[in-house]
Structure formats: structure tokens, C-alpha cells
């Protein structure tokens, strides 16, 4: 697929670690997502991960930040649309042992064959091979804040 003659990159599915940092107001993570969106990178926000990030931060500012990321031009929320998707999510959770938020991330990434954008690669390494198709992920590590150097 192309947009304006340029190929559209495969989407990143944002995991709970990324969404929680957005909710907490992390400028580095939010800036990364703004840069990716500006480059036309599709971003997928699984709603159960958004729900958990909102619960983890539980402030009006957190909710505004999560809504703001969802309003980016190349961002899209991934809901559970029907009983078939709910059963698919249940299958992923039972096979991986992930909680509902991370299970939804894994389910969306699995069915859409997309990469997961995370700050916790170790978690996804542990579960990557537990599904029929291995999960693929990209880890974002914030630069060290070495102000004492």
C-alpha cells in the first residue's frame, strides 16, 4: 500500500509500557510517537491496554494524553468488535498467560501480523513463541539522563 506514492510502513501496536508512559506524561515517549506519526507510521492502540494505562495513571491529564495520542493522524484504536474477537483474545490469554491488557496487545499484533512497540522487550521475548505465529516487537529505550557527566 502507498500513500502519496510512498509505501505505508506496517503498523506498530503500542503496548502497555508505552501507553502507561504516555499517560504519565513522559515527554520522550510522547515525542517518539509524534515523530512516528509525522513520518506516516501507523500506530494501533488496543483499547484494553489504553484502559489499563488510564487506570495505572488515573488522572485527568493522563486521560487527555491518551486521547491525544489516539487523535494523531496515523493512530487508530483497536476495539473488541464481537464475540469472535473476544474468543480470540481469550485464546491468546490462555496460551500466553498474559493479563487482559497485554493479551489484547498480543492478540492485535498476532491477527494483524504487526510489530509491538514496547519498553519491555523481555516480557515479549518470554511470550513471543507461544502463539502459532511468533510475535515481533521493537523496543524503545529512552536515552540515559546522564546529567552528572
Amino acid at each position: 500500500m502507498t500513500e502519496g506514492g510512498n509505501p505505508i510502513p506496517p503498523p506498530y501496536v503500542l503496548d502497555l509500557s508505552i501507553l502507561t508512559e504516555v499517560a504519565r506524561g513522559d515527554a520522550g515517549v510522547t515525542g517518539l510517537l509524534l515523530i512516528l506519526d509525522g513520518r506516516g507510521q501507523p500506530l494501533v492502540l488496543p483499547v484494553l491496554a489504553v484502559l489499563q494505562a488510564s487506570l495505572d495513571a488515573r488522572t485527568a491529564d493522563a486521560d487527555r494524553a491518551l486521547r491525544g495520542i489516539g487523535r494523531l493522524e496515523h493512530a487508530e484504536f483497536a476495539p473488541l468488535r464481537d464475540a469472535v474477537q473476544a474468543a480470540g483474545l481469550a485464546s491468546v490469554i490462555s496460551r500466553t498467560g498474559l493479563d487482559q491488557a497485554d493479551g489484547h496487545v498480543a492478540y492485535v499484533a498476532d491477527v494483524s501480523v504487526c510489530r509491538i512497540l514496547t519498553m519491555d522487550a523481555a516480557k515479549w521475548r518470554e511470550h513471543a513463541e507461544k502463539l502459532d505465529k511468533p510475535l515481533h516487537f521493537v523496543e524503545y529505550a529512552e536515552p540515559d539522563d546522564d546529567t552528572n557527566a
Side-chain angles (χ1 to χ4, degrees):
M1 293 177 56
T2 63
E3 182 178 280
N6 297 320
I8 298 172
Y12 282 135
V13 180
L14 306 184
D15 85 339
L16 181 58
S17 66
I18 294 288
L19 292 168
T20 298
E21 291 306 309
V22 168
R24 291 179 180 159
D26 186 286
V29 173
T30 302
L32 170 69
L33 298 179
L34 292 171
I35 289 168
L36 291 172
D37 183 68
R39 293 179 180 167
Q41 173 68 56
L43 305 170
V44 180
L45 293 77
V47 294
L48 294 181
V50 173
L51 166 70
Q52 189 61 53
S54 177
L55 286 170
D56 289 349
R58 209 55 264 146
T59 67
D61 286 343
D63 291 343
R64 278 191 289 279
L66 291 166
R67 281 194 310 269
I69 293 300
R71 289 184 181 134
L72 294 176
E73 182 179 353
H74 297 97
E76 180 178 335
F77 287 98
L80 285 175
R81 294 199 166 122
D82 55 30
V84 172
Q85 287 186 350
L89 172 58
S91 175
V92 166
I93 290 170
S94 70
R95 292 170 73 187
T96 62
L98 292 165
D99 63 22
Q100 291 178 8
D102 286 327
H104 194 202
V105 171
Y107 173 72
V108 169
D110 185 48
V111 298
S112 60
V113 193
C114 293
R115 298 167 294 167
I116 297 168
L117 183 61
T118 186
M119 295 181 75
D120 187 3
K123 171 179 42 184
W124 295 110
R125 245 181 247 110
E126 177 185 345
H127 300 289
E129 302 296 328
K130 293 181 179 177
L131 301 173
D132 294 335
K133 298 171 278 191
L135 296 171
H136 299 280
F137 52 89
V138 175
E139 184 174 38
Y140 170 69
E142 289 192 274
D144 290 332
D145 183 19
D146 195 1
T147 55
N148 297 325

